[in-house]
């Protein structure tokens, strides 16, 4: 049995779950369909046919080697309209809610996926109103027809935008990253010292195993003239101007630049933006702890990468 199969079996035995895929329980009797859904979602995640002109996929902005972000401050869409906010990483994204920088209404992956595919503020993949076109494109591929039927059995025609969303969300829920040196208890002496600093100065907002309280905060004074007003744009409450959701610090060493606008190029820059200014040795220790939050296996796990084959044939 492969290592992944052993892990699934052990988790199922320990939890008494009838089905576990990617660390998540699924309904009894649904294991094959759920595995097929994850496989389909992985292929769709890398498919540029989900964009207006066939130039952008989810993976265009979410690159595995960068923790599923893209190392730029923001990313333009298919119309070259500039992006508004920094691309967040996707480590453990299935456990995050709300999901975006400043919209508490987007509490599920299924809801959030509409933002890049169908959103218009700004345009990203540019498919607003083109849901039937997505289905038309996918139906042309005999392998996709087989994959959708396996992932969503029992329906007359499984290929459609709602199932595209469900499949991508299923794949994203497998993007679990708990294999860092921090998780393994392998901290250097500098990182141990940095953890004490972190626990004292940072952990109130970057809390728990996800290193985020999932709440909205403002750094610095209110700027009513800022182009991006954050949470205020959704709530209309003046107290919410400039508030953004606390990001997870998982895989921090590969997800630069930082903050909602990508304006902090280094961890030290981001720390200073929080009003925290340390001597060089103290900052070095804190950065050593933050480095220890990166799961290097997550960045190269072939189960998360562009699939080489589909339906037994090279893609």
């Amino acid at each position: 049995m492969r290592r992944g199969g052993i892990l699934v079996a052990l988790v199922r035995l320990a939890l008494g779950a009838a089905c576990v895929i990617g660390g998540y329980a699924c309904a009894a009797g649904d294991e094959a369909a759920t595995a097929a859904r994850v496989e389909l979602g992985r292929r769709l995640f890398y498919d540029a046919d989900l964009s207006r002109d066939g130039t952008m996929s989810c993976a265009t902005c979410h690159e595995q080697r960068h923790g599923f972000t893209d190392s730029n401050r923001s990313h333009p869409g298919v119309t070259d309209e500039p992006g508004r906010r920094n691309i967040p990483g996707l480590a453990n994204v299935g456990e995050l809610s709300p999901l975006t920088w400043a919209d508490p209404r987007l509490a599920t992956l299924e809801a959030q996926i509409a933002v890049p595919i169908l959103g218009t503020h700004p345009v990203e993949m540019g498919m607003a109103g083109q849901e039937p076109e997505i289905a038309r494109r996918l139906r042309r591929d005999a392998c996709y027809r087989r994959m959708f039927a396996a992932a969503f059995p029992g329906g007359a025609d499984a290929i459609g935008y709602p199932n595209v969303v469900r499949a991508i969300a299923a794949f994203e829920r497998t993007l679990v990253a708990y294999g860092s040196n921090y998780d393994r208890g392998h901290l250097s002496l500098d990182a141990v010292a940095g953890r004490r600093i972190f626990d004292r100065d940072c952990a109130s907002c970057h809390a728990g195993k996800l290193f985020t309280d999932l709440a909205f905060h403002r750094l610095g004074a209110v700027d009513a003239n800022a182009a991006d007003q954050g949470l205020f744009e959704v709530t209309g409450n003046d107290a919410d101007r400039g508030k953004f959701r606390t990001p997870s610090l998982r895989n921090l060493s590969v997800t630069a630049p930082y903050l909602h606008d990508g304006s902090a190029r280094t961890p030290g820059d981001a720390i200073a933006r929080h009003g925290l200014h340390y001597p060089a040795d103290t900052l070095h220790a804190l950065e050593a702890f933050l480095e220890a939050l990166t799961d290097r296996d997550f960045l190269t796990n072939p189960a998360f990468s562009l699939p080489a084959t589909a339906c037994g044939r090279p893609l």
Side-chain angles (χ1 to χ4, degrees), residues 154-170:
D157 184 2
I159 298 180
Y161 176 75
N163 283 344
V164 168
V165 167
R166 293 171 67 194
I168 294 174

Side-chain angles (χ1 to χ4, degrees), residues 36-58:
R37 201 166 297 172
V38 170
E39 181 183 12
L40 171 62
R42 176 184 169 200
R43 185 180 174 190
L44 290 167
F45 186 87
Y46 286 94
D47 196 333
D49 263 352
L50 299 188
S51 67
R52 181 187 301 179
D53 60 2
T55 62
M56 287 186 71
S57 67
C58 302

Side-chain angles (χ1 to χ4, degrees), residues 211-237:
F211 291 91
T212 170
D213 61 0
L214 296 172
F216 298 88
H217 302 280
R218 181 190 309 109
L219 298 181
V222 173
D223 180 0
N225 296 315
D228 191 341
Q229 292 292 317
L231 184 61
F232 169 81
E233 296 181 4
V234 173
T235 68
N237 185 342

Side-chain angles (χ1 to χ4, degrees), residues 29-217:
D30 195 36
E31 185 169 7
T34 302
R37 201 166 297 172
V38 170
E39 181 183 12
L40 171 62
R42 176 184 169 200
R43 185 180 174 190
L44 290 167
F45 186 87
Y46 286 94
D47 196 333
D49 263 352
L50 299 188
S51 67
R52 181 187 301 179
D53 60 2
T55 62
M56 287 186 71
S57 67
C58 302
T60 300
C61 296
H62 295 284
E63 299 178 34
Q64 184 177 7
R65 65 194 177 100
H66 291 299
F68 290 98
T69 182
D70 78 339
S71 79
N72 297 302
R73 290 186 65 164
S74 62
H75 200 291
V78 295
T79 62
D80 289 329
E81 182 179 357
R84 297 190 73 216
R85 293 172 180 156
N86 185 235
I87 306 296
L90 299 182
N92 309 312
V93 70
E95 299 178 60
L96 302 179
S97 183
L99 282 156
T100 66
W101 282 109
D103 192 341
R105 298 169 300 183
L106 297 175
T108 67
L109 288 169
E110 288 80 0
Q112 189 279 328
I113 289 166
V115 174
I117 297 179
L118 307 179
T120 59
H121 181 58
V123 171
E124 296 183 49
M125 298 168 77
M127 294 301 285
Q130 298 299 310
E131 294 92 333
E133 173 63 12
I134 292 174
R136 187 191 71 80
R137 293 178 184 181
L138 298 177
R139 286 193 191 101
R140 294 180 304 189
D141 186 314
C143 181
Y144 262 136
R145 295 197 297 271
R146 288 169 55 188
M147 293 179 77
F148 271 91
F152 302 100
D157 184 2
I159 298 180
Y161 176 75
N163 283 344
V164 168
V165 167
R166 293 171 67 194
I168 294 174
F171 168 66
E172 289 181 335
R173 289 188 175 99
T174 70
L175 300 178
V176 175
Y178 289 119
S180 68
N181 283 342
Y182 164 80
D183 298 299
R184 300 175 191 273
H186 297 163
L187 295 182
S188 67
L189 292 177
D190 283 340
V192 170
R195 181 175 185 177
R196 290 195 291 267
I197 299 162
F198 180 89
D199 288 344
R200 182 190 70 202
D201 296 343
C202 312
S204 60
C205 294
H206 292 285
K209 67 177 183 176
L210 296 171
F211 291 91
T212 170
D213 61 0
L214 296 172
F216 298 88
H217 302 280

